[in-house]
Amino acid sequence: MTTVDVHVVRVFVDPSGDFGNPLGIVDGTLVPTQARLRVAAALGYSETVFVDDPASGRLQIFSATAEMPFAGHPTVGVAWWLHSQGYDTPVLRVPAGEVLVSRSGDITSVQADPSWGSTFTWYELPTPDAVLAADPGDYSDDHSYLWSWISETDGTIRARMFAPAMGVPEDEATGSAATQLTARLGRPLHITQGAGSELHTTVISPTAVTVGGRVSAAPPRTISV
């Protein structure tokens, strides 16, 4: 067995650096493809990224149960991390396609086709309080996304996402869902999800939406491969 370092970041933290969805980042050259699902499951994050070539942005994303062709919080998180490691990587290359990276102040964003993400069942609830009061056990779909306007005028939304089939009872922040909701509504959004994570989106075209947020480093881990 070989011990491998795991870099950990929290993606979509609020302006104070709180909340955020943890992400494991692993040097893909140290982990064979056939071992990556096992490693992701052992780490226990909603997703783990394996960086095969940091200069070109080539990587793979795994949940605890499957490889994912694209996911929002992993691509935003690894884009921030690569920049923090001194790489100027303007494009990430995932199985779904090329993901453009941009930065504005402390916000790191990625641009993707909303159709690349998982399939969600959408539940628009009447109030943010109804979203917060929801019981995950009442939602058995693979990916249930609950949302409500905080202010339709301002484009602010309160949301939660449940994904029991992926081994994720509740996801703290879901970038691919944010891109799809943005495309459905046809407007930029500021989404507060989970315990308080914050996602920012914009619309470039019907097939190009950006999702971004703040990212912070978390204590690293090690895992045996």
Side-chain angles (χ1 to χ4, degrees):
M1 301 289 281
T2 301
T3 299
V4 173
D5 293 328
V6 180
H7 301 271
V8 183
V9 298
R10 290 184 296 124
V11 187
F12 303 125
V13 297
D14 73 2
S16 299
D18 296 325
F19 310 110
N21 198 352
L23 173 71
I25 302 172
V26 179
D27 182 346
T29 65
L30 302 178
V31 182
T33 301
Q34 64 270 21
R36 294 181 181 184
L37 182 59
R38 174 175 57 80
V39 168
L43 287 171
Y45 301 123
S46 57
E47 287 100 13
T48 296
V49 172
F50 297 85
V51 180
D52 292 311
D53 184 354
S56 70
R58 185 166 55 85
L59 54 91
Q60 285 186 291
I61 304 166
F62 285 82
S63 73
T65 58
E67 182 180 2
M68 306 181 71
F70 167 78
H73 114 267
T75 48
V76 171
V78 78
W80 179 91
W81 180 82
L82 286 169
H83 185 69
S84 76
Q85 300 299 303
Y87 291 98
D88 180 16
T89 310
V91 179
L92 302 177
R93 292 172 170 83
V94 299
E98 293 189 346
V99 178
L100 302 182
V101 176
S102 61
R103 298 177 186 83
S104 178
D106 59 354
I107 302 294
T108 299
S109 299
V110 298
Q111 178 182 312
D113 186 327
S115 69
W116 288 351
S118 300
T119 299
F120 295 89
T121 303
W122 304 94
Y123 297 91
E124 182 181 359
L125 301 188
T127 65
D129 286 343
V131 173
L132 294 174
D135 182 349
D138 292 337
Y139 297 86
S140 59
D141 299 294
D142 285 353
H143 297 78
S144 297
Y145 194 88
L146 286 59
W147 69 279
S148 176
W149 291 110
I150 298 172
S151 169
E152 188 169 358
T153 300
D154 296 336
T156 54
I157 280 175
R158 194 66 174 88
R160 295 171 71 189
M161 201 282 280
F162 312 133
M166 289 177 58
V168 181
E170 180 166 0
D171 198 29
E172 174 60 26
T174 314
S176 61
T179 67
Q180 292 182 41
L181 184 61
T182 298
R184 289 165 67 92
L185 298 175
R187 58 179 295 183
L189 301 174
H190 179 181
I191 300 170
T192 301
Q193 185 179 332
S197 300
E198 296 190 13
L199 303 84
H200 302 264
T201 68
T202 65
V203 180
I204 306 299
S205 74
T207 58
V209 172
T210 72
V211 59
R214 301 172 183 86
V215 184
S216 65
R221 296 173 58 180
T222 60
I223 192 166
S224 296
V225 176

